[in-house]
Amino acid sequence: MIAVITNTDVTVYRRVYDPQTRLDSWEREYVLEAWWFKSEQSSVDADGMHRADTITIRIPDLSVKVAKEDIIVKGKCEIDITTPKDLYGWEYCKVMSANYNDFGDKPHIRIGGQ
């Protein structure tokens, strides 16, 4: 197997619905190896300047569960959150897509986020 390039560790927060309390809670999973790339983009039109930064994350461990609407924090984060706003001061993104690429010589999860 060919080694996958990684540059950080990440923490995945998954929203879990509790039918008894009818409230959401967040569970977290620490992932030791990941590749994090932030693409800073902006455009200007008649309404002013707009930013649309995108983040691409690749996790070489296919056993990690990632889905749309999850939150991924760059680094090891041990905060118990009730809302993503609790992550103020951390670099994080909301998962917009998660593709499990389990083929080829570098299987990984490719995550797109904002």
Side-chain angles (χ1 to χ4, degrees):
M1 178 185 250
I2 297 175
V4 177
I5 296 173
T6 59
N7 61 4
T8 191
D9 52 347
V10 296
T11 306
V12 178
Y13 283 88
R14 287 183 284 278
R15 187 186 319 246
V16 179
Y17 178 72
D18 183 346
Q20 289 184 319
T21 63
R22 295 184 177 180
L23 298 172
D24 288 332
S25 63
W26 292 85
E27 65 180 26
R28 69 176 178 268
E29 179 179 0
Y30 175 67
V31 180
L32 182 61
E33 295 181 324
W35 180 77
W36 182 287
F37 177 75
K38 182 176 182 180
S39 175
E40 297 180 6
Q41 302 171 359
S42 61
S43 64
V44 179
D45 62 15
D47 294 327
M49 185 176 191
H50 304 279
R51 296 187 70 185
D53 296 348
T54 58
I55 295 175
T56 302
I57 302 163
R58 288 189 174 86
I59 298 175
D61 182 356
L62 294 176
S63 69
V64 176
K65 293 182 174 129
V66 180
K68 285 177 77 170
E69 306 297 318
D70 286 350
I71 302 294
I72 300 185
V73 178
K74 186 176 185 181
K76 186 173 186 176
C77 184
E78 296 180 333
I79 299 172
D80 292 326
I81 68 170
T82 55
T83 174
K85 291 180 183 179
D86 295 336
L87 296 169
Y88 178 79
W90 287 83
E91 188 172 0
Y92 69 92
C93 72
K94 179 179 179 180
V95 175
M96 306 304 282
S97 65
N99 299 306
Y100 284 75
N101 299 319
D102 58 356
F103 53 87
D105 58 358
K106 295 181 186 176
H108 63 280
I109 307 166
R110 186 184 186 283
I111 301 157
Q114 290 185 321

